[in-house]
Amino acid sequence: MDDAHSAADQAYSRSTPNKNPNPNPKRSLILASQQQLEDRAYYVQLWRAVTRLSISRRAWRERLADMLRDYQGELLYAPGVPYQIPFVDDIFGNDHDMRWMGYYLKADVSGNHPLIISRHLERLRLLDLYVRIYQDMSE
């Protein structure tokens, strides 16, 4: 692994809120903050985690909706304020073909970094949440 990958992986690991070691599915997850989502290293690591899932751009809308519907725990902002679960359709709007997701998933010429940097924080927050819930379920 090159230094760029290593630095991004370490930054993501450090900035990802601590996992609860309790296997109880009714646990709480702290959402990524705006500062985390705007951090370049965190963004790159999130992009890598999302692209490793190999989910087609069109399947993401349903996957995110299923995740929000099926998660049994609490979703909280960092100070413990409950997250008001949004409708995925409200977050992605009229993008029924998930074109934004297609652009988000594209890599630059190196293949190691995202082609674009998106500032759609709520979309990024849902992707981050999906990755962290998916990782917890698979561990």
Side-chain angles (χ1 to χ4, degrees):
M1 184 181 299
D2 65 22
D3 291 338
H5 281 132
S6 180
D9 291 343
Q10 289 173 4
Y12 186 78
S13 296
R14 280 193 309 269
S15 59
T16 302
N18 293 332
K19 291 182 179 179
N20 182 344
N22 183 355
N24 180 357
K26 291 190 177 190
R27 66 185 204 86
S28 298
L29 273 178
I30 304 296
L31 292 136
S33 68
Q34 179 175 339
Q35 182 179 5
Q36 288 170 309
L37 295 172
E38 291 176 342
D39 179 79
R40 175 70 180 211
Y42 192 92
Y43 184 95
V44 169
Q45 185 57 28
L46 174 60
W47 175 82
R48 287 184 184 140
V50 169
T51 57
R52 279 191 292 252
L53 294 173
S54 298
I55 299 170
S56 72
R57 71 176 167 96
R58 290 187 175 158
W60 271 103
R61 185 181 287 259
E62 187 173 328
R63 292 284 190 102
L64 291 169
D66 290 347
M67 179 247 335
L68 291 171
R69 182 195 64 228
D70 297 340
Y71 185 68
Q72 297 295 311
E74 287 184 296
L75 302 174
L76 306 168
Y77 288 106
V81 176
Y83 177 61
Q84 297 299 316
I85 297 174
F87 289 107
V88 172
D89 289 345
D90 291 344
I91 301 300
F92 287 93
N94 291 330
D95 187 12
H96 299 290
D97 288 334
M98 297 296 281
R99 290 185 190 279
W100 175 88
M101 197 69 202
Y103 296 129
Y104 173 80
L105 293 171
K106 287 184 180 181
D108 67 6
V109 293
S110 74
N112 296 318
H113 292 84
L115 181 62
I116 65 163
I117 300 296
S118 176
R119 294 294 171 222
H120 289 278
L121 296 182
E122 273 307 302
R123 293 175 182 184
L124 296 172
R125 186 170 282 122
L126 288 182
L127 294 175
D128 183 73
L129 187 57
Y130 184 90
V131 167
R132 291 194 291 125
I133 288 172
Y134 177 81
Q135 286 175 343
D136 285 350
M137 291 176 156
S138 64
E139 292 178 351

